[in-house]
Amino acid sequence: MMRYIKLVNFEINRFSKIYLSLLLITLVSQFAGVIIVTKSLLNDARDIMKEERLSEAAYIANYGGIDFNHIANSLLFVGPIALSAVALIFYIFLIWYRDWFGKNTFIYRLLMLPTSRLSIYLSKATSIFLMVLGLIAFQIIILPMENALFNSNVPEALLNEMSISTITIANPILSLIIPSTFTQFLISYGTGLMIMSILFTAIMFERSFRIKGIIMGLLYCGIAAVLFLAPVLMEIGNFYFYPNELFGLMLAIGIILTGLSVWLGAWLLKNRVTV
Protein backbone atom coordinates (compact mmCIF):
# COMPACT_ATOMS: atom_id res chain seq x y z
CA MET A 1 0.00 0.00 0.00
CA MET A 2 2.82 2.39 0.90
CA ARG A 3 4.51 1.74 -2.44
CA TYR A 4 1.25 2.51 -4.23
CA ILE A 5 0.90 5.80 -2.31
CA LYS A 6 4.52 6.67 -3.12
CA LEU A 7 3.88 5.98 -6.81
CA VAL A 8 0.80 8.23 -6.76
CA ASN A 9 2.80 10.99 -5.09
CA PHE A 10 5.61 10.49 -7.61
CA GLU A 11 3.23 10.79 -10.59
CA ILE A 12 1.59 13.93 -9.19
CA ASN A 13 4.97 15.54 -8.55
CA ARG A 14 6.02 14.86 -12.15
CA PHE A 15 3.06 16.92 -13.41
CA SER A 16 3.07 19.47 -10.59
CA LYS A 17 4.63 22.39 -12.51
CA ILE A 18 2.15 22.14 -15.38
CA TYR A 19 -0.68 21.53 -12.91
CA LEU A 20 0.15 24.63 -10.87
CA SER A 21 0.39 26.59 -14.11
CA LEU A 22 -3.16 25.48 -15.01
CA LEU A 23 -4.41 26.63 -11.60
CA LEU A 24 -2.67 29.98 -11.98
CA ILE A 25 -4.01 30.48 -15.52
CA THR A 26 -7.52 29.68 -14.30
CA LEU A 27 -7.23 32.11 -11.39
CA VAL A 28 -5.82 35.02 -13.39
CA SER A 29 -7.97 34.53 -16.49
CA GLN A 30 -11.28 34.18 -14.67
CA PHE A 31 -10.74 37.12 -12.33
CA ALA A 32 -9.55 39.20 -15.29
CA GLY A 33 -12.70 38.08 -17.10
CA VAL A 34 -14.89 39.27 -14.22
CA ILE A 35 -13.28 42.72 -14.30
CA ILE A 36 -13.04 43.14 -18.09
CA VAL A 37 -16.45 41.73 -19.02
CA THR A 38 -18.19 43.59 -16.19
CA LYS A 39 -16.65 46.88 -17.33
CA SER A 40 -17.70 46.17 -20.91
CA LEU A 41 -21.27 45.32 -19.89
CA LEU A 42 -21.59 48.49 -17.81
CA ASN A 43 -20.20 50.65 -20.63
CA ASP A 44 -22.68 49.09 -23.08
CA ALA A 45 -25.55 49.66 -20.65
CA ARG A 46 -24.59 53.30 -20.12
CA ASP A 47 -24.26 53.87 -23.87
CA ILE A 48 -27.73 52.43 -24.49
CA MET A 49 -29.26 54.49 -21.69
CA LYS A 50 -27.61 57.64 -23.05
CA GLU A 51 -28.59 57.00 -26.68
CA GLU A 52 -32.19 56.01 -25.88
CA ARG A 53 -32.52 58.37 -22.92
CA LEU A 54 -33.54 55.59 -20.58
CA SER A 55 -33.53 55.53 -16.83
CA GLU A 56 -32.03 52.53 -15.04
CA ALA A 57 -35.52 51.20 -14.36
CA ALA A 58 -36.50 51.59 -18.03
CA TYR A 59 -33.27 49.87 -19.09
CA ILE A 60 -34.01 46.93 -16.80
CA ALA A 61 -37.56 46.70 -18.18
CA ASN A 62 -36.33 46.69 -21.80
CA TYR A 63 -33.06 44.79 -21.63
CA GLY A 64 -33.04 42.97 -18.30
CA GLY A 65 -30.43 43.14 -15.56
CA ILE A 66 -26.76 42.22 -15.65
CA ASP A 67 -26.01 38.83 -14.13
CA PHE A 68 -23.04 36.48 -13.70
CA ASN A 69 -24.10 34.40 -16.70
CA HIS A 70 -22.44 37.02 -18.90
CA ILE A 71 -19.17 36.27 -17.12
CA ALA A 72 -19.58 32.48 -17.03
CA ASN A 73 -20.20 32.35 -20.77
CA SER A 74 -17.18 34.47 -21.68
CA LEU A 75 -14.00 33.07 -23.22
CA LEU A 76 -11.87 34.33 -20.35
CA PHE A 77 -13.96 32.21 -17.95
CA VAL A 78 -14.55 28.98 -19.89
CA GLY A 79 -11.22 29.08 -21.76
CA PRO A 80 -9.08 27.97 -18.77
CA ILE A 81 -11.57 25.19 -17.98
CA ALA A 82 -11.33 23.91 -21.55
CA LEU A 83 -7.53 24.24 -21.48
CA SER A 84 -7.32 22.23 -18.25
CA ALA A 85 -9.59 19.52 -19.67
CA VAL A 86 -7.50 19.23 -22.85
CA ALA A 87 -4.27 19.17 -20.81
CA LEU A 88 -5.50 16.31 -18.61
CA ILE A 89 -6.80 14.34 -21.61
CA PHE A 90 -3.39 14.78 -23.25
CA TYR A 91 -1.74 13.68 -19.98
CA ILE A 92 -3.61 10.37 -20.12
CA PHE A 93 -1.31 9.52 -23.03
CA LEU A 94 1.73 11.44 -21.81
CA ILE A 95 1.75 9.69 -18.43
CA TRP A 96 2.58 6.43 -20.24
CA TYR A 97 4.48 7.45 -23.36
CA ARG A 98 6.79 9.83 -21.53
CA ASP A 99 8.16 6.79 -19.68
CA TRP A 100 8.93 4.98 -22.94
CA PHE A 101 10.20 7.87 -25.06
CA GLY A 102 11.91 10.04 -22.46
CA LYS A 103 15.67 10.51 -22.36
CA ASN A 104 16.33 7.67 -19.92
CA THR A 105 13.51 5.30 -20.99
CA PHE A 106 12.19 5.44 -17.44
CA ILE A 107 9.61 2.67 -18.02
CA TYR A 108 12.36 0.04 -17.71
CA ARG A 109 13.22 1.19 -14.21
CA LEU A 110 9.53 1.58 -13.32
CA LEU A 111 8.58 -1.95 -14.41
CA MET A 112 11.55 -3.43 -12.52
CA LEU A 113 10.39 -2.02 -9.20
CA PRO A 114 9.67 -4.68 -6.54
CA THR A 115 5.95 -4.00 -6.62
CA SER A 116 2.90 -5.24 -8.47
CA ARG A 117 2.48 -3.80 -11.94
CA LEU A 118 -1.18 -3.30 -11.04
CA SER A 119 0.05 -0.70 -8.53
CA ILE A 120 1.84 1.13 -11.34
CA TYR A 121 -1.32 1.07 -13.46
CA LEU A 122 -3.60 2.21 -10.62
CA SER A 123 -1.17 4.90 -9.42
CA LYS A 124 -1.24 6.58 -12.84
CA ALA A 125 -5.04 6.41 -12.98
CA THR A 126 -5.37 7.67 -9.39
CA SER A 127 -3.02 10.60 -9.94
CA ILE A 128 -5.02 11.82 -12.95
CA PHE A 129 -8.34 11.45 -11.12
CA LEU A 130 -7.00 13.32 -8.08
CA MET A 131 -5.79 16.14 -10.31
CA VAL A 132 -9.22 16.37 -11.93
CA LEU A 133 -10.86 16.59 -8.50
CA GLY A 134 -8.28 19.18 -7.46
CA LEU A 135 -9.11 21.42 -10.41
CA ILE A 136 -12.83 21.11 -9.67
CA ALA A 137 -12.27 21.88 -5.98
CA PHE A 138 -10.24 24.95 -6.97
CA GLN A 139 -13.07 26.14 -9.22
CA ILE A 140 -15.59 25.64 -6.41
CA ILE A 141 -13.39 27.70 -4.06
CA ILE A 142 -12.83 30.67 -6.39
CA LEU A 143 -16.34 30.83 -7.90
CA PRO A 144 -17.95 32.52 -4.84
CA MET A 145 -15.06 35.03 -4.79
CA GLU A 146 -15.60 35.84 -8.47
CA ASN A 147 -19.33 36.21 -7.92
CA ALA A 148 -18.73 38.53 -4.96
CA LEU A 149 -16.33 40.64 -7.04
CA PHE A 150 -18.90 40.85 -9.84
CA ASN A 151 -21.70 41.85 -7.45
CA SER A 152 -19.54 44.56 -5.90
CA ASN A 153 -18.70 46.10 -9.30
CA VAL A 154 -22.25 46.25 -10.70
CA PRO A 155 -24.61 48.96 -9.44
CA GLU A 156 -27.43 47.53 -7.39
CA ALA A 157 -30.04 48.98 -9.76
CA LEU A 158 -28.64 47.01 -12.70
CA LEU A 159 -27.62 43.88 -10.84
CA ASN A 160 -29.47 40.61 -11.22
CA GLU A 161 -27.86 38.77 -8.32
CA MET A 162 -27.43 35.00 -8.65
CA SER A 163 -26.57 32.33 -6.10
CA ILE A 164 -23.70 29.91 -6.74
CA SER A 165 -26.10 27.00 -7.25
CA THR A 166 -28.07 29.01 -9.82
CA ILE A 167 -24.86 29.92 -11.66
CA THR A 168 -23.68 26.32 -11.87
CA ILE A 169 -27.08 25.05 -13.03
CA ALA A 170 -27.49 27.81 -15.64
CA ASN A 171 -24.06 27.28 -17.24
CA PRO A 172 -23.68 23.97 -19.18
CA ILE A 173 -19.94 23.64 -18.52
CA LEU A 174 -20.20 24.42 -14.80
CA SER A 175 -23.19 22.09 -14.42
CA LEU A 176 -21.09 19.32 -15.99
CA ILE A 177 -18.00 19.75 -13.81
CA ILE A 178 -19.85 20.75 -10.61
CA PRO A 179 -22.82 18.35 -10.43
CA SER A 180 -25.73 19.48 -8.29
CA THR A 181 -26.87 15.94 -7.40
CA PHE A 182 -25.17 12.64 -6.57
CA THR A 183 -26.70 11.10 -9.69
CA GLN A 184 -25.11 13.77 -11.87
CA PHE A 185 -21.81 13.22 -10.06
CA LEU A 186 -21.93 9.51 -10.90
CA ILE A 187 -22.73 10.28 -14.52
CA SER A 188 -20.02 12.92 -14.99
CA TYR A 189 -17.11 11.40 -13.09
CA GLY A 190 -18.08 7.76 -13.54
CA THR A 191 -18.10 8.32 -17.30
CA GLY A 192 -14.75 10.10 -17.02
CA LEU A 193 -13.21 7.19 -15.10
CA MET A 194 -14.58 4.72 -17.63
CA ILE A 195 -13.16 6.67 -20.58
CA MET A 196 -9.77 6.95 -18.87
CA SER A 197 -9.64 3.21 -18.16
CA ILE A 198 -10.62 2.42 -21.77
CA LEU A 199 -7.88 4.74 -23.10
CA PHE A 200 -5.34 3.18 -20.71
CA THR A 201 -6.25 -0.25 -22.07
CA ALA A 202 -5.93 0.99 -25.66
CA ILE A 203 -2.45 2.29 -24.80
CA MET A 204 -1.54 -1.11 -23.32
CA PHE A 205 -2.68 -2.79 -26.55
CA GLU A 206 -0.40 -0.50 -28.55
CA ARG A 207 2.55 -1.04 -26.20
CA SER A 208 2.00 -4.82 -26.29
CA PHE A 209 1.49 -5.36 -30.02
CA ARG A 210 2.77 -2.12 -31.62
CA ILE A 211 1.15 -1.62 -35.08
CA LYS A 212 -1.39 -4.41 -34.54
CA GLY A 213 -2.00 -2.99 -31.09
CA ILE A 214 -3.09 0.36 -32.53
CA ILE A 215 -5.82 -1.40 -34.49
CA MET A 216 -6.76 -3.53 -31.48
CA GLY A 217 -6.89 -0.43 -29.27
CA LEU A 218 -9.11 1.46 -31.69
CA LEU A 219 -11.41 -1.56 -32.02
CA TYR A 220 -11.60 -1.88 -28.24
CA CYS A 221 -12.51 1.81 -27.88
CA GLY A 222 -15.17 1.47 -30.59
CA ILE A 223 -16.71 -1.67 -29.09
CA ALA A 224 -16.73 -0.11 -25.61
CA ALA A 225 -18.44 3.03 -26.95
CA VAL A 226 -21.12 0.99 -28.73
CA LEU A 227 -21.78 -1.13 -25.64
CA PHE A 228 -22.03 1.90 -23.36
CA LEU A 229 -24.38 3.72 -25.72
CA ALA A 230 -26.40 0.60 -26.56
CA PRO A 231 -29.39 1.58 -24.33
CA VAL A 232 -29.53 5.04 -25.97
CA LEU A 233 -29.25 3.49 -29.44
CA MET A 234 -32.06 1.08 -28.53
CA GLU A 235 -34.26 4.03 -27.57
CA ILE A 236 -33.58 5.63 -30.93
CA GLY A 237 -34.77 2.35 -32.44
CA ASN A 238 -38.14 2.78 -30.66
CA PHE A 239 -37.26 0.55 -27.69
CA TYR A 240 -38.44 2.63 -24.72
CA PHE A 241 -36.79 2.74 -21.29
CA TYR A 242 -37.99 4.64 -18.25
CA PRO A 243 -35.40 7.23 -17.10
CA ASN A 244 -34.44 5.15 -14.04
CA GLU A 245 -34.09 2.05 -16.19
CA LEU A 246 -31.90 3.89 -18.72
CA PHE A 247 -29.69 5.29 -15.97
CA GLY A 248 -29.43 1.89 -14.26
CA LEU A 249 -28.48 0.13 -17.50
CA MET A 250 -25.84 2.71 -18.42
CA LEU A 251 -24.47 2.67 -14.86
CA ALA A 252 -24.20 -1.13 -14.88
CA ILE A 253 -22.57 -1.18 -18.32
CA GLY A 254 -20.19 1.60 -17.25
CA ILE A 255 -19.11 -0.30 -14.13
CA ILE A 256 -18.58 -3.50 -16.15
CA LEU A 257 -16.58 -1.69 -18.84
CA THR A 258 -14.46 0.11 -16.25
CA GLY A 259 -13.73 -3.11 -14.36
CA LEU A 260 -12.99 -5.01 -17.57
CA SER A 261 -10.71 -2.25 -18.85
CA VAL A 262 -8.73 -2.07 -15.60
CA TRP A 263 -8.36 -5.86 -15.50
CA LEU A 264 -7.39 -6.17 -19.16
CA GLY A 265 -5.01 -3.19 -19.05
CA ALA A 266 -3.31 -4.50 -15.91
CA TRP A 267 -3.09 -8.01 -17.43
CA LEU A 268 -1.44 -6.65 -20.58
CA LEU A 269 1.00 -4.58 -18.51
CA LYS A 270 1.93 -7.64 -16.48
CA ASN A 271 2.04 -10.33 -19.18
CA ARG A 272 2.59 -8.63 -22.54
CA VAL A 273 4.56 -5.45 -21.85
CA THR A 274 8.20 -6.43 -21.34
CA VAL A 275 11.33 -4.56 -20.40
Side-chain angles (χ1 to χ4, degrees):
M1 186 65 181
M2 286 302 299
R3 287 175 179 171
Y4 162 73
I5 294 174
K6 288 180 180 179
L7 284 170
V8 172
N9 182 63
F10 173 73
E11 292 293 350
I12 292 176
N13 286 337
R14 294 175 82 187
F15 192 64
S16 59
K17 291 182 180 179
I18 298 175
Y19 188 68
L20 291 174
S21 297
L22 291 174
L23 294 177
L24 182 60
I25 290 170
T26 300
L27 180 69
V28 173
S29 179
Q30 289 190 353
F31 273 93
V34 172
I35 296 170
I36 294 171
V37 176
T38 301
K39 185 177 180 181
S40 176
L41 290 170
L42 290 174
N43 287 337
D44 291 343
R46 292 189 184 104
D47 289 342
I48 292 173
M49 285 188 286
K50 184 177 180 180
E51 290 174 5
E52 301 183 13
R53 297 181 179 180
L54 299 174
S55 63
E56 290 180 340
Y59 176 86
I60 293 291
N62 292 340
Y63 296 97
I66 300 175
D67 57 51
F68 196 84
N69 270 335
H70 295 91
I71 308 296
N73 291 323
S74 68
L75 181 60
L76 285 170
F77 190 91
V78 300
I81 297 174
L83 176 64
S84 299
V86 170
L88 288 174
I89 291 171
F90 176 72
Y91 193 61
I92 290 176
F93 297 91
L94 181 64
I95 200 171
W96 287 106
Y97 287 111
R98 175 180 55 185
D99 292 339
W100 263 282
F101 299 114
K103 290 183 179 180
N104 301 317
T105 319
F106 185 74
I107 191 65
Y108 297 140
R109 295 164 58 191
L110 194 60
L111 294 179
M112 292 298 291
L113 289 175
T115 187
S116 168
R117 290 190 180 183
L118 177 62
S119 296
I120 297 172
Y121 181 99
L122 292 178
S123 68
K124 292 180 181 293
T126 302
S127 64
I128 292 175
F129 189 64
L130 288 177
M131 285 186 281
V132 170
L133 293 181
L135 284 169
I136 302 310
F138 185 70
Q139 183 65 75
I140 292 173
I141 291 170
I142 65 174
L143 186 58
M145 302 178 190
E146 294 163 349
N147 190 37
L149 177 62
F150 171 78
N151 291 341
S152 66
N153 285 337
V154 178
E156 188 175 348
L158 298 177
L159 176 63
N160 184 14
E161 193 168 349
M162 300 175 68
S163 66
I164 298 302
S165 60
T166 304
I167 293 170
T168 56
I169 292 172
N171 185 272
I173 295 178
L174 289 177
S175 65
L176 178 65
I177 66 173
I178 308 176
S180 58
T181 66
F182 182 67
T183 299
Q184 290 177 335
F185 176 85
L186 288 178
I187 293 172
S188 295
Y189 294 98
T191 302
L193 275 175
M194 180 191 69
I195 292 172
M196 180 175 65
S197 64
I198 290 170
L199 291 176
F200 269 22
T201 302
I203 292 169
M204 291 301 101
F205 272 121
E206 188 278 327
R207 288 290 83 197
S208 299
F209 304 103
R210 299 304 190 268
I211 300 299
K212 292 181 180 178
I214 294 175
I215 299 172
M216 295 169 70
L218 290 173
L219 285 174
Y220 183 78
C221 290
I223 292 170
V226 170
L227 287 174
F228 182 67
L229 296 174
V232 177
L233 297 174
M234 290 172 67
E235 279 210 324
I236 295 174
N238 296 322
F239 193 96
Y240 180 77
F241 291 107
Y242 290 105
N244 288 340
E245 293 176 335
L246 182 63
F247 171 74
L249 277 173
M250 295 188 73
L251 178 62
I253 294 171
I255 292 173
I256 292 171
L257 285 174
T258 302
L260 176 64
S261 297
V262 171
W263 174 82
L264 183 55
W267 184 88
L268 288 169
L269 182 63
K270 178 180 178 181
N271 297 288
R272 301 296 305 187
V273 177
T274 60
V275 295

